[in-house]
């Protein structure tokens, strides 16, 4: 039993090291546009780059297949679009359930919340991608501004439908 | 005591593998499309089968033809063996796919040049031979000398790739049955390959399907016929052990 505890503690230590590598600054070449972020209390409280989000743009980005494509996996209150996905939970009412910082963390890197998740990290450090297509080399899926736009949009979803 | 643990471990492992029930991609089709798939006259991939049949009987410059060894209409082919690919090749000490075997025949028995992997002729011959083996139960070997290759394929299947950092298992195990925008996620089984795609009006090989999936989450595909895809094919085919061959299947 004490042995297992030790193992557990040393694993935690290792995870902490890995996390600090993943999240820490030290931005290299490609990263001039990549802004490192910090997790506090299971959230990213600070807006990326201090940018302000626009919910109207955020709605468009969430629909756009080449941008957020959130509809691929989530149901959203977007009646004009058909084929909402069911891979993730519906996002109606998410603005009541989660704070801005919690929503930001889930969009930026859901793997911090659930390491097994299928949900892409929309603002992960691109240096850690494995076999990324040339066109997307060194790039995050969304820009910091686009992330903030979607955060602002999700915060407006304060009604649970049906 | 140790032996007991070992035994328990083996039993637990075996039942974990047995707990998985393979489901053919055809189960996810509408009845109409499934009928079309099963009807030899309505199936839009039949021209590819016919093309493969003509290549199978065609005499090459050296006077050889596939049917010379394997019989008219392949009547000397062991159909259950076609359902066992990739098989272990003792000479090369690695698994070989049906397409690899076609090239071995061409080079060693027909004094001919190898085809490029997944070229039109290859896909034609593969579609024809798998069509002959329709209904055969898939039984791919995963133990003995296959073990390291099977494990390598399994690892690829679970590796996160590309900008979206997804793995095959995410879509085809973890979320199967869910809707990904307009598409239901099926198990990603290979028993219908090569398949006819209604969206592109073309016959698609298994390795090209792998590439399309990788491409969809912005990962750099491997090459058709690469060691990686052969190992992945080994894992994916074996995952369907117990299903029957349905080539040429129809998909969206």
């Amino acid at each position: 039993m004490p042995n297992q505890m030790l193992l557990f503690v040393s694993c935690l230590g290792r995870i902490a090291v890995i996390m600090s590598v993943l999240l820490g600054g030290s931005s290299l070449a490609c990263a001039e546009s990549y802004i490192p972020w910090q997790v506090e209390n299971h959230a990213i409280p600070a807006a990326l780059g201090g940018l302000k989000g626009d919910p109207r743009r955020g709605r468009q980005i969430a629909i756009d297949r080449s941008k957020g494509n959130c509809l691929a996996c989530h149901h959203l209150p977007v009646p004009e679009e058909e084929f909402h996905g069911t891979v993730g939970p519906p996002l109606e009412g998410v603005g009541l359930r989660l704070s801005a910082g919690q929503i930001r963390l889930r969009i930026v890197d859901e793997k911090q919340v659930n390491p097994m998740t299928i949900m892409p990290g929309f603002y992960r450090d691109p240096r850690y991608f494995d076999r990324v297509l040339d066109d997307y080399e060194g790039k995050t899926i969304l820009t910091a501004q686009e992330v903030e736009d979607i955060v602002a949009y999700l915060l407006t979803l304060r009604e649970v439908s049906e | 005591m140790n032996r007991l643990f070992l035994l328990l471990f083996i039993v637990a492992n075996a039942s974990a593998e047995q707990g998985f029930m393979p489901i053919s991609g055809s189960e996810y089709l509408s009845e109409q499309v499934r009928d079309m798939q099963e009807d030899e006259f309505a199936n839009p991939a039949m021209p590819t089968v016919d093309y493969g049949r003509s290549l199978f009987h065609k005499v090459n410059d050296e006077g050889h033809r596939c049917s010379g060894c394997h019989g008219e209409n392949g009547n000397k082919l062991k159909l259950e063996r076609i359902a066992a690919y990739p098989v272990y090749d003792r000479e090369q000490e690695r698994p070989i796919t049906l397409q690899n075997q076609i090239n071995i025949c061409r080079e060693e028995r027909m004094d001919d040049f190898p085809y490029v992997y997944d070229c039109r002729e290859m896909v034609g011959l593969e579609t024809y031979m798998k069509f002959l083996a329709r209904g055969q139960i898939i039984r791919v070997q995963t133990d003995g000398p296959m073990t390291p290759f099977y494990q390598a394929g399994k690892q690829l299947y679970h590796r996160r790739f590309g900008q979206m950092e997804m793995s095959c298992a995410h879509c085809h195990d973890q979320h199967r049955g869910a809707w990904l925008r307009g598409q239901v996620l099926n198990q990603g089984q290979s028993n219908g390959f090569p398949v006819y795609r209604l969206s592109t009006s073309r016959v698609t090989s298994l390795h090209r399907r792998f590439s399309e999936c990788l491409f969809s989450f912005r990962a750099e595909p491997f090459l058709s016929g690469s060691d990686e895809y052969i190992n992945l094919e080994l894992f994916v085919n074996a995952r369907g052990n117990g299903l029957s061959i349905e080539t040429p299947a129809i998909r969206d």
Side-chain angles (χ1 to χ4, degrees):
Chain A
M1 197 55 188
N3 267 342
Q4 278 173 358
M5 275 304 282
L6 247 163
L7 192 70
F8 181 63
V9 170
S10 90
C11 272
L12 274 185
R14 221 169 282 171
I15 289 171
V17 170
I18 293 169
M19 296 275 269
S20 67
V21 169
L22 279 175
L23 310 180
S26 96
S27 28
L28 285 171
C30 61
E32 80 244 75
S33 59
Y34 174 73
I35 307 162
W37 35 269
Q38 222 74 57
V39 181
E40 277 169 43
N41 263 328
H42 312 289
I44 303 176
L48 300 180
L51 295 164
K52 193 167 161 17
D54 170 5
R56 273 197 16 260
R57 274 199 317 247
R59 188 177 189 275
Q60 274 321 109
I61 295 161
I63 297 171
D64 190 336
R65 285 167 194 266
S66 66
K67 294 277 179 72
N69 198 16
C70 314
L71 277 182
C73 296
H74 294 282
H75 199 280
L76 283 164
V78 179
E80 73 272 22
E81 286 284 327
E82 33 174 21
F83 304 131
H84 299 210
T86 61
V87 174
L91 294 178
E92 278 88 351
V94 71
L96 291 174
R97 292 196 293 278
L98 300 175
S99 68
Q102 289 172 324
I103 290 177
R104 187 174 294 109
L105 174 61
R106 280 157 179 79
I107 297 171
V108 163
D109 190 5
E110 173 68 14
K111 284 186 276 299
Q112 306 285 328
V113 181
N114 169 15
M116 305 283 288
T117 193
I118 185 178
M119 180 164 154
F122 288 90
Y123 203 79
R124 290 255 293 167
D125 188 335
R127 277 179 300 167
Y128 299 104
F129 295 153
D130 183 4
R131 286 187 77 82
V132 63
L133 272 180
D134 277 355
D135 287 357
Y136 302 98
E137 181 87 55
K139 290 181 191 152
T140 51
I141 301 176
L142 295 175
T143 65
Q145 181 64 59
E146 287 166 340
V147 170
E148 291 307 323
D149 290 343
I150 299 189
V151 172
Y153 166 57
L154 292 200
L155 280 172
T156 68
L157 306 183
R158 304 180 66 82
E159 249 170 74
V160 187
S161 68
E162 284 131 75
Chain B
M1 198 57 185
N2 270 342
R3 260 196 210 174
L4 181 67
F5 269 114
L6 189 67
L7 188 72
L8 280 176
F9 179 74
I10 291 168
V11 170
N13 252 351
S15 60
E17 305 251 338
Q18 273 161 16
F20 175 77
M21 278 284 295
I23 301 171
S24 170
S26 305
E27 303 275 334
Y28 297 76
L29 296 175
S30 69
E31 208 172 310
Q32 195 187 0
V33 175
R34 207 163 37 220
D35 286 348
M36 192 204 296
Q37 174 178 302
E38 277 154 25
D39 180 350
E40 273 184 41
F41 297 97
N43 189 316
M46 288 320 283
T48 304
V49 171
D50 292 338
Y51 174 60
R53 182 184 289 117
S54 72
L55 289 176
F56 190 85
H57 293 92
K58 191 172 149 194
V59 181
N60 73 1
D61 291 343
E62 307 293 326
H64 304 292
R65 57 199 171 97
C66 312
S67 53
C69 285
H70 300 298
E72 293 307 310
N73 297 314
N75 62 18
K76 289 191 203 153
L77 282 171
K78 286 206 197 81
L79 298 182
E80 67 277 10
R81 177 141 170 109
I82 290 177
Y85 276 90
V87 298
Y88 188 74
D89 185 283
R90 272 172 222 292
E91 217 154 284
Q92 302 190 27
E93 300 184 320
R94 66 178 184 97
I96 55 164
T97 63
L98 189 56
Q99 288 200 25
N100 292 147
Q101 180 60 55
I102 290 168
N103 269 346
I104 293 173
C105 284
R106 282 176 63 79
E107 290 186 275
E108 295 184 358
R109 302 193 192 160
M110 300 170 74
D111 300 318
D112 215 328
F113 297 109
Y115 286 131
V116 171
Y117 212 95
D118 271 354
C119 69
R120 191 164 167 260
E121 289 83 355
M122 271 297 202
V123 175
L125 279 166
E126 188 184 11
T127 308
Y128 171 61
M129 283 197 267
K130 291 244 176 97
F131 170 74
L132 292 178
R134 253 190 177 194
Q136 293 291 322
I137 305 297
I138 293 175
R139 283 207 183 82
V140 177
Q141 186 195 347
T142 60
D143 57 0
M146 285 294 230
T147 307
F149 302 99
Y150 175 78
Q151 289 300 334
K154 186 173 180 174
Q155 240 175 33
L156 275 172
Y157 187 86
H158 290 93
R159 180 165 141 198
R160 286 182 181 274
F161 285 109
Q163 195 192 34
M164 302 202 184
E165 297 178 290
M166 292 178 185
S167 74
C168 316
H170 276 122
C171 285
H172 296 297
D173 290 312
Q174 214 171 306
H175 293 287
R176 92 172 74 102
W179 287 87
L180 188 73
R181 220 148 183 175
Q183 262 178 319
V184 182
L185 294 171
N186 64 24
Q187 277 190 358
Q189 291 290 355
S190 51
N191 59 315
F193 276 82
V195 303
Y196 183 89
R197 305 275 298 282
L198 295 168
S199 53
T200 58
S201 310
R202 294 177 72 160
V203 171
T204 304
S205 75
L206 184 60
H207 290 192
R208 284 206 207 113
R209 178 73 242 193
F210 290 164
S211 291
E212 284 175 22
C213 281
L214 285 164
F215 209 74
S216 76
F217 46 98
R218 300 180 178 174
E220 182 68 36
F222 296 92
L223 292 177
S224 283
S226 60
D227 291 348
E228 286 85 358
Y229 276 175
I230 291 172
N231 291 338
L232 196 55
E233 175 170 349
L234 170 63
F235 177 75
V236 169
N237 286 11
R239 203 167 151 268
N241 274 345
L243 295 177
S244 53
I245 293 198
E246 296 176 359
T247 308
I250 304 177
R251 298 288 183 268
D252 296 340

